[in-house]
């Protein structure tokens, strides 16, 4: 038997991550320095996104840069996609809420049964980080979202959607949003870039803490996906994954993450098109899908594998247009073993807490 083959049937699971580039309702100001979308622009944007969502056809669709959940739902509908569960915490549109304010949010759409969902804004106690000129960085700019999902045959897994701080320099501003630093001074630019790095590193550290809470001494698989604003080999991504720790600590595998692209099966079609963003003409992988050890083909605790990872990035060569996206979309085909049948006589399961994802301390 090949190492990547399982002796029993597997369920397939398609997951995808999409940075949708400022998805907002028409006429709604989202950034002070950008004009709102006209109705025509908005129609073009949700039509374009709808077509991409239909092509992805994911069971779990994670999105970043959503200002209005109504716009996200509109794009799903425009693509003819039906998802029973759609959520973008902090970007709701209703009688009392008018979308995200200050910064866009991450969201999730899924066809699977949702056992629990929770958004995390604050860093764990004691894990705040000082940023020069700003003070303590204590919370995510865009809170990550964790959901516990159940597949049709009963397999449970957690999915974490994130969007880390960008590399754009973080300049100081006054209460009215006016700059208080000389942005033409290259030394000031260097300090502002350091602020962004520290903030992204702090968010990566806090995300790592969340990953540990989800994985430590549990067999529930975890999929982490989103826009990391850094490459797979970067310090921040490796901080989240902690894969290198396995070389000298056998117990580290329990809480490590692995890049799905590196775990693809033997029959995966691989070629040099694995990038999700182009900056100054150079391709980068910023949008990533990471998985826990349960998806390792030869892992001691394997319950599945990564069959294929695809990059939908042709539109990055079509020119900049805010009615599209400046990020490629990434999709992974995962497989999970069917659960073993229960014993003939077993104790009744305990009631499930449906307010928080499994294995997260309350």
């Amino acid at each position: 038997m090949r190492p990547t083959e399982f002796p029993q049937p597997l369920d397939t699971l398609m997951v995808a991550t999409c940075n949708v580039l400022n998805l907002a309702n028409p006429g709604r100001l989202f950034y002070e320095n950008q004009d709102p979308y006209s109705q025509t622009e908005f129609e073009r944007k949700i039509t374009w996104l709808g077509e991409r969502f239909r092509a992805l056809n994911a069971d779990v669709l994670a999105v970043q840069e959503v200002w209005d959940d109504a716009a996200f739902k509109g794009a799903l509908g425009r693509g003819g996609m039906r998802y029973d569960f759609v959520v973008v915490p902090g970007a709701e549109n209703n009688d009392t809420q008018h979308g995200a304010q200050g910064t866009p949010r991450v969201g999730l759409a899924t066809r699977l049964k949702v056992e629990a969902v929770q958004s995390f804004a604050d860093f764990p106690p004691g894990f705040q980080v000082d940023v020069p000129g700003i003070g303590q960085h204590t919370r995510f700019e865009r809170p990550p979202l964790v959901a516990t999902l159940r597949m049709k045959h009963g397999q449970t897994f957690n999915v974490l959607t994130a969007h880390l701080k960008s590399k754009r320099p973080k300049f100081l501003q006054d209460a009215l949003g006016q700059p208080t630093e000389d942005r033409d001074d290259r030394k000031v630019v260097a300090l502002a870039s350091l602020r962004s790095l520290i903030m992204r590193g702090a968010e990566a550290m806090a995300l790592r803490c969340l990953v540990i809470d989800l994985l430590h001494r549990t067999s529930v698989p975890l999929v982490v996906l989103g826009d990391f604003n850094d490459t797979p080999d970067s310090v921040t991504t490796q901080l989240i994954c902690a894969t290198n720790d396995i070389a000298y600590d056998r117990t580290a595998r329990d809480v490590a993450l692995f890049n799905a692209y590196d775990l693809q099966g033997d029959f995966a079609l691989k070629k040099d098109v694995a990038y999700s963003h182009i900056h100054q003409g150079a391709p980068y992988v910023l949008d990533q899908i990471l998985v826990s050890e349960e998806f390792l083909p030869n892992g001691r605790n394997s319950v599945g594998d990564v069959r294929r990872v695809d990059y939908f990035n042709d539109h990055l060569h079509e020119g900049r247009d805010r009615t599209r996206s400046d990020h490629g979309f990434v999709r992974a085909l995962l497989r999970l073993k069917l659960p073993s049948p229960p014993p003939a006589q077993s104790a009744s399961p305990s009631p499930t807490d449906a307010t928080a994802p499994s294995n997260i301390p309350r």
Side-chain angles (χ1 to χ4, degrees):
M1 182 180 297
R2 297 173 60 85
T4 56
E5 293 178 345
F6 289 90
Q8 62 190 84
L10 295 98
D11 263 353
T12 58
L13 171 68
M14 197 82 81
V15 300
T17 179
C18 309
N19 182 320
V20 293
L21 183 61
N22 292 324
L23 180 56
N25 286 336
R28 178 259 223 274
L29 185 67
F30 45 92
Y31 283 131
E32 292 291 339
N33 61 348
Q34 293 192 34
D35 294 330
Y37 293 117
S38 66
Q39 186 65 42
T40 299
E41 285 181 307
F42 176 75
E43 294 293 330
R44 285 168 53 195
K45 189 172 184 72
I46 64 171
T47 298
W48 185 87
L49 283 172
E51 292 171 350
R52 269 60 191 177
F53 292 160
R54 185 172 63 249
L56 290 168
N57 194 26
D59 300 302
V60 180
L61 181 65
V63 290
Q64 305 86 43
E65 292 201 21
V66 177
W67 290 91
D68 294 291
D69 71 351
F72 180 37
K73 293 173 182 176
L76 292 171
R78 190 61 59 92
M81 304 301 296
R82 177 179 174 179
Y83 289 98
D84 295 328
F85 184 85
V86 180
V87 64
V88 189
E92 296 88 352
N93 297 107
N94 51 47
D95 293 340
T96 59
Q97 297 169 291
H98 307 287
Q101 305 298 318
T103 187
R105 298 302 186 103
V106 304
L108 185 77
T110 182
R111 302 174 178 135
L112 305 181
K113 181 179 180 182
V114 179
E115 298 285 324
V117 63
Q118 189 172 354
S119 183
F120 293 83
D122 297 322
F123 294 171
F127 284 82
Q128 293 73 28
V129 176
D130 288 323
V131 181
I134 294 179
Q136 283 203 328
H137 191 36
T138 63
R139 61 202 328 260
F140 293 94
E141 285 198 341
R142 294 165 289 235
L145 180 66
V146 180
T148 301
L149 306 179
R150 186 178 296 276
M151 298 175 67
K152 63 181 179 180
H153 289 105
Q155 305 98 317
T156 298
F157 68 99
N158 288 318
V159 59
L160 191 164
T161 306
H163 186 187
L164 298 189
K165 177 74 178 69
S166 74
K167 294 182 180 179
R168 189 175 298 110
K170 182 72 173 180
F171 293 104
L172 299 182
Q173 300 177 337
D174 60 21
L176 299 177
Q178 299 300 313
T180 60
E181 295 180 303
D182 182 2
R183 300 188 178 190
D184 294 325
D185 186 327
R186 289 184 171 83
K187 294 181 180 179
V188 170
V189 173
L191 179 57
S193 298
L194 175 63
R195 290 190 193 110
S196 289
L197 175 60
I198 294 173
M199 294 172 73
R200 189 170 63 261
E203 291 185 350
M205 173 269 301
L207 198 66
R208 175 65 188 158
C209 292
L210 187 53
V211 167
I212 293 171
D213 288 340
L214 287 164
L215 289 179
H216 184 51
R217 294 181 178 176
T218 180
S219 59
V220 180
L222 173 64
V223 180
V224 179
L225 66 174
D227 178 2
F228 291 76
N229 267 310
D230 228 334
T231 57
D233 59 349
S234 66
V235 172
T236 53
T237 300
Q238 289 304 311
L239 193 162
I240 296 167
C241 295
T243 313
N244 295 333
D245 294 351
I246 296 172
Y248 55 86
D249 181 1
R250 289 186 300 175
T251 65
R253 188 183 297 269
D254 176 53
V255 290
L257 291 175
F258 306 85
N259 196 300
Y261 183 80
D262 297 331
L263 301 182
Q264 293 180 81
D266 293 341
F267 297 104
L269 297 175
K270 287 187 178 182
K271 59 180 180 177
D272 200 20
V273 293
Y275 57 89
S276 68
H277 187 66
I278 297 176
H279 179 66
Q280 296 180 351
Y284 295 93
V285 176
L286 303 184
D287 305 82
Q288 303 176 49
I289 299 178
L290 312 173
V291 297
S292 59
E293 69 163 336
E294 286 76 16
F295 291 98
L296 290 179
N298 304 311
R300 182 178 57 186
N301 298 313
S302 294
V303 295
D305 62 7
V306 179
R307 201 60 176 168
R308 191 177 73 248
V309 177
D310 300 307
Y311 292 80
F312 295 73
N313 52 23
D314 287 349
H315 62 273
L316 299 179
H317 302 279
E318 297 171 358
R320 293 296 295 268
D321 184 340
R322 68 178 189 162
T323 64
R324 297 195 288 263
S325 175
D326 59 346
H327 283 247
F329 302 156
V330 186
R331 183 184 70 186
L333 174 60
L334 311 176
R335 301 192 303 177
L336 284 171
K337 291 180 184 178
L338 297 179
S340 301
Q345 293 182 348
S346 60
S348 300
S350 301
T352 301
D353 179 358
T355 62
S358 59
N359 207 47
I360 296 181
R362 308 297 196 267

